[in-house]
Structure formats: C-alpha cells, structure tokens
Amino acid sequence: MNIRMFDSREELDAFAAQFFIDKINRKPQATLGLATGSTPIGIYENLVERYRKGDVSFSQVTTFNLDEYVGVPASNEQSYAYFMKNNLFGHIDLPVDRAFLPNGMADDLQAECAHYDGMMAGQPIDIQLLGIGHNGHIGFNEPDEALQGGTHVVTLKQETRDANARFFASMDDVPKLAITMGVGSIMKARTIMLVAKGADKADIIKQALQGPITTQCPASLLQAHPDALILLDREAGGKL
Ligand code: F6R
C-alpha cells in the first residue's frame, strides 16, 4: 500500500483529481469506479474545475458507481444517481449512457446485480475510488463473517443508517437496503484509491491499514491489493 498524508483537504483533493486526470489523459477510454458520500465531493469539484479549464475530457470515459439505495428513484435528491449528477456528471462531458450505477428501482434486484457484474466484466476498472465507513465498510460491504465477491443486495447496518440519517428528513426515510459492488469487483480494479478525511476516521484507518486482514473490517482487504493508494488528511492519519 502506498499511504500519503496531506496537510490539508484541499491538497488531498487536488492530488486525487490530478491522479485521475493523468490516467484519463494517458488513457482517454479509462474506466473509473466512483463513490458517493462526503469524502469525494472535493475531488469531484476539482475535476469539474479542471474540465472547465480544458485540462481533461471525459468524452470517452466509462464510470461504474459502487452502490445505490434500493427504492430511491434517481429523481430523489438522496439517491446516489442524483448525487453523481449534481456533483459530477451534470458538469462534465461524460456521455450519460456510459455513467453506470446499480438500479435500485429494478423489479428484479438479483437480475440487476447480475447485469451490473456482466457490464463490469467487459470493462475492468482502471481506478476505483473508495471512501471508508466508520465500521470499515467499503461500498456497502458491511463487516460480517463472510463477504460477497459480486454485486449484491445488502441490508444496511444500523450504524450505517445512523451515519446517513443526516441526509434524510427522518430515520424512517433512511433506506434499509442497498445494492453494492462486492469486494471481489472492488479488488479487481487495477488501482484502488481509498480516501479518508477527518479525526472521526482515524481509528478505523488504523485498524484497516495496520490491523489484521479480516472480513470484520472490509477495508483491511486492501492490504492485499497490489496497487492500493491511500490518501489521508492529517486527522484521518493521526493514529498511524
Ligand atoms: C459511498 C460508499 C460508502 C462511503 C462511506 C464513507 O458510495 O460506498 O462506502 O464511501 O460510507 O462515507 P463518507 O464519505 O460520507 O464518510
């Protein structure tokens, strides 16, 4: 693992954006794995700004998002589809038909998972961006006795629903189910970029990077990835 610590979030975000831009400029048809949540917002802002300056074009890029809530339509502000449109896709030249998220509104969720895996099988991910949950989840692969390799439907842990409740009007509105890429798909990415910011992530970052590799901390699996880049601000890296 290549661990890099930054004095400020601004420096981290600029570095991460540059990393993506370098890849896309070397390989215009790159396939990117993307995340939602608060962590990548600054990176997406940088990418939009750099796109506007003409430093990068996404016209041949393909993207696959990690996850989506079940039962929340793309028109709902809390859906990850809406998040991606609002924070990135709506501001760059990425063709809409090459920006993929799992469809949490599908009638047959199992078929949707298989379909998503099928699409990714044809297009290996060049860089997979990840945040990390306080319990060590990546995507919505929650700590468990066993983890799943492929895309699957997951029941969100109460702690994850609590953490995401800030975005919803009430706890009852927070979805109980999501579709997520599995750890097998994530680990297949050629490069993984895990980003963590803030003192509240310091304990789980220490556990994930320096603790045992265990399904009880899904992010610890990244220790076994041949090209994992970990970007931390001083606070998140404070306990290493
Ligand atoms: C989001 C995702 C989640 C988040 C994680 C951290 O697509 O897959 O694993 O990356 O919950 O969320 P934030 O960035 O809000 O702390």
Side-chain angles (χ1 to χ4, degrees):
M1 281 183 305
N2 177 5
I3 303 175
R4 297 192 60 141
M5 202 107 78
F6 294 84
D7 287 330
S8 72
R9 292 180 181 197
E10 290 71 27
E11 284 170 74
L12 189 165
D13 291 336
F15 177 92
Q18 187 63 52
F19 193 87
F20 277 106
I21 291 166
D22 286 345
K23 168 55 79 184
I24 297 164
N25 285 338
R26 277 197 309 271
K27 184 178 179 187
Q29 296 183 342
T31 300
L32 307 178
L34 299 178
T36 59
S38 51
T39 307
I41 291 177
I43 301 172
Y44 296 155
E45 280 170 1
N46 267 263
L47 287 174
V48 170
E49 198 184 309
R50 299 289 302 277
Y51 162 72
R52 287 187 177 142
K53 281 189 186 154
D55 295 339
V56 63
S57 167
F58 298 84
S59 62
Q60 298 180 69
V61 166
T62 299
T63 65
F64 288 99
N65 262 78
L66 282 166
D67 40 21
E68 178 59 284
Y69 290 124
V70 167
V72 182
S75 56
N76 183 312
E77 283 181 29
Q78 304 313 333
S79 72
Y80 286 173
Y82 190 98
F83 174 100
M84 290 310 297
K85 189 171 171 210
N86 202 28
N87 286 288
L88 186 64
F89 299 158
H91 311 288
I92 58 175
D93 61 345
L94 177 74
V96 282
D97 59 352
R98 279 220 300 279
F100 298 107
L101 286 99
N103 177 11
M105 296 300 289
D107 290 335
D108 184 342
L109 294 173
Q110 300 310 326
E112 170 60 17
C113 292
H115 173 65
Y116 206 63
D117 279 343
M119 285 194 299
M120 281 192 294
Q123 270 169 295
I125 289 173
D126 290 297
I127 307 174
Q128 174 66 58
L129 176 61
L130 296 177
I132 181 171
H134 294 109
N135 61 6
H137 74 215
I138 48 177
F140 275 135
N141 294 278
E142 301 279 27
D144 212 332
E145 278 166 25
L147 298 176
Q148 294 195 42
T151 302
H152 58 283
V153 178
V154 64
T155 303
L156 299 177
K157 294 246 179 197
Q158 189 56 41
E159 63 240 44
T160 300
R161 295 185 68 230
D162 290 342
N164 291 356
R166 61 199 150 122
F167 302 114
F168 291 85
S170 78
M171 195 62 209
D172 287 343
D173 293 330
V174 185
K176 295 189 172 71
L177 298 178
I179 297 183
T180 183
M181 266 189 215
V183 290
S185 311
I186 293 171
M187 291 293 280
K188 266 189 229 153
R190 293 191 171 104
T191 299
I192 293 180
M193 178 196 284
L194 177 109
V195 181
K197 299 170 178 173
D200 58 313
K201 297 282 172 78
D203 283 323
I204 195 63
I205 280 294
K206 182 173 173 54
Q207 207 182 315
L209 305 187
Q210 296 181 334
I213 299 178
T214 163
T215 59
Q216 296 298 345
C217 178
S220 68
L221 269 66
L222 302 190
Q223 293 181 41
H225 191 278
D227 190 19
L229 174 62
I230 317 292
L231 306 182
L232 309 171
D233 66 7
R234 290 265 161 228
E235 290 74 27
K239 296 206 171 160
L240 293 179

